[in-house]
């Protein structure tokens, strides 16, 4: 699944690069040089994120997440689920199967929704990177709103679906 | 040396924590390194094409064109373009941020860039199929519709809170990328 989407991105990039090369060799090399420069400047931050994610994953294994979200219920369960979602950076493709398993085992819909929402929209480990590109204020505001709205969304989902 | 540490303090703090964990809890520490390694491969796989696309965007797309499409006076069309651009892109947030930076550099409106980021993080069309098959279609459809409103409201709220001075700073910062 993941590989499929990334392959599409690769194909599109190669086509664009080819077109650019045919149109203007010099400009294309300049583009590549710029790409490399931009990549190099954020690389340390990417590495830091990777290390941090590795640590978090080692602490929060699939079983731990399942236990916490599965057993806790009510608002406290939602808060715990949202906090796990906020600090972890698990690919959605791994998160959905976990969520669906939990759901089938009787975990609350609202807890699961809040977990998925915070997982995808709130990024604690990517906060420094986000501040770099969008400024601190925007990064904080966006994450705080995303966190609060995760609860709003799950309450609405709860009202509609339960 | 001191300058390097100051510049990359985030990386150094994490490195120190990692080392501490490795010494105090060798098993967990090793496990975390394994996870990092696995993720590193993912990172290195997804990032090159994205940065190449950003580079191409920088070289080929004129500022004027971008301003017309997503800039200050792009109106409802700019909102739609940003939204569609966001929901069709299925990349994680960390890969998305450099793209957002480039959009700002090219003169996109801040609220449109926010719509792009928010829609991409909460609604990813390529992932909907996957969500539907694991969470059910009713769940997915409801979340999809509710999230559209959330994306628009969030972008609007942040845009309202930001002062003109904040916005100038954001553009100035984007120009340095």
């Amino acid at each position: 699944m993941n590989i499929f989407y990334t392959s599409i991105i690769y194909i599109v990039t190669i086509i664009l690069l080819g077109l650019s090369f045919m149109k203007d060799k010099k400009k294309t090399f300049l583009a590549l040089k710029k790409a490399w420069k931009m990549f190099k400047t954020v690389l340390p931050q990417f590495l830091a994120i990777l290390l941090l994610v590795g640590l978090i994953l080692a602490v929060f294994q699939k079983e731990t997440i399942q236990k916490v979200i599965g057993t806790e219920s009510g608002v406290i369960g939602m808060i715990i689920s949202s906090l796990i979602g906020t600090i972890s950076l698990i690919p959605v493709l791994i998160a959905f199967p976990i969520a669906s398993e939990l759901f089938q085992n009787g975990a609350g819909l609202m807890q699961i929704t809040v977990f998925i929402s915070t997982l995808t929209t709130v990024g604690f480990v990517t906060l420094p990177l986000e501040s770099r590109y969008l400024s601190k204020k925007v990064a904080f505001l966006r994450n705080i709103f995303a966190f609060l709205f995760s609860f709003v969304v799950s309450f609405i989902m709860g009202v509609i679906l339960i | 040396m001191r300058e390097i540490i100051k510049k990359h303090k985030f990386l150094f703090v994490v490195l120190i924590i990692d080392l501490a964990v490795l010494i105090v809890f060798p098993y967990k520490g090793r496990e975390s390194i394994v996870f990092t390694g696995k993720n590193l491969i993912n990172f290195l796989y997804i990032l090159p094409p994205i940065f190449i696309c950003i580079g191409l965007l920088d070289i080929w797309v004129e500022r004027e064109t971008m301003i017309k499409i997503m800039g200050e006076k792009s109106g409802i069309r700019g909102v739609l373009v940003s939204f569609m651009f966001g929901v069709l892109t299925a990349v994680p947030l960390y890969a998305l941020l450099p793209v957002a930076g480039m959009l700002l550099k090219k003169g996109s409106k801040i609220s449109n860039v926010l719509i792009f980021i928010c829609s991409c993080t909460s609604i990813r069309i390529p992932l909907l199929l996957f969500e539907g098959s694991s969470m059910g279609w009713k769940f997915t459809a409801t979340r999809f519709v509710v999230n559209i409103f959330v994306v628009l409201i969030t972008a609007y709220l942040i845009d309202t809170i930001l002062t003109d001075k904040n916005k100038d700073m954001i553009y100035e910062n984007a120009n340095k990328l």
Side-chain angles (χ1 to χ4, degrees), chain A residues 90-129:
Chain A
I90 315 168
V92 217
L93 293 163
I94 297 170
F96 278 133
I98 298 180
S100 120
E101 218 172 290
L102 285 169
F103 197 40
Q104 276 151 18
N105 289 331
L109 175 104
M110 298 213 284
Q111 284 82 351
I112 289 175
T113 313
V114 97
F115 173 65
I116 293 179
S117 295
T118 47
L119 186 67
T120 48
T121 59
V122 190
F124 178 69
V125 286
T126 45
L127 211 51
L129 191 70

Side-chain angles (χ1 to χ4, degrees), chain A residues 13-106:
Chain A
T13 308
I14 290 168
I15 292 173
L16 289 176
L17 203 58
L19 283 175
S20 165
F21 194 76
M22 276 194 297
K23 228 177 157 189
D24 193 329
K25 257 191 213 171
K26 243 190 192 160
K27 269 188 159 182
T28 309
F29 279 122
L30 192 63
L32 287 175
K33 227 165 111 185
K34 279 201 168 184
W36 171 243
K37 218 182 110 199
M38 282 185 274
F39 181 64
K40 226 171 47 182
T41 40
V42 286
L43 195 61
Q45 242 155 344
F46 274 126
L47 286 177
I49 293 174
L50 277 178
L51 289 168
L52 204 56
V53 171
L55 271 177
I56 290 167
L57 281 178
V59 178
F60 290 97
Q61 304 236 295
K62 193 180 157 197
E63 293 74 31
T64 323
I65 296 174
Q66 255 167 339
K67 231 196 285 176
V68 174
I69 303 176
T71 49
E72 295 282 345
S73 60
V75 177
I76 293 175
M78 282 177 80
I79 292 171
I80 295 173
S81 310
S82 69
L83 291 178
I84 297 180
T86 298
I87 54 170
S88 35
L89 199 140
I90 315 168
V92 217
L93 293 163
I94 297 170
F96 278 133
I98 298 180
S100 120
E101 218 172 290
L102 285 169
F103 197 40
Q104 276 151 18
N105 289 331

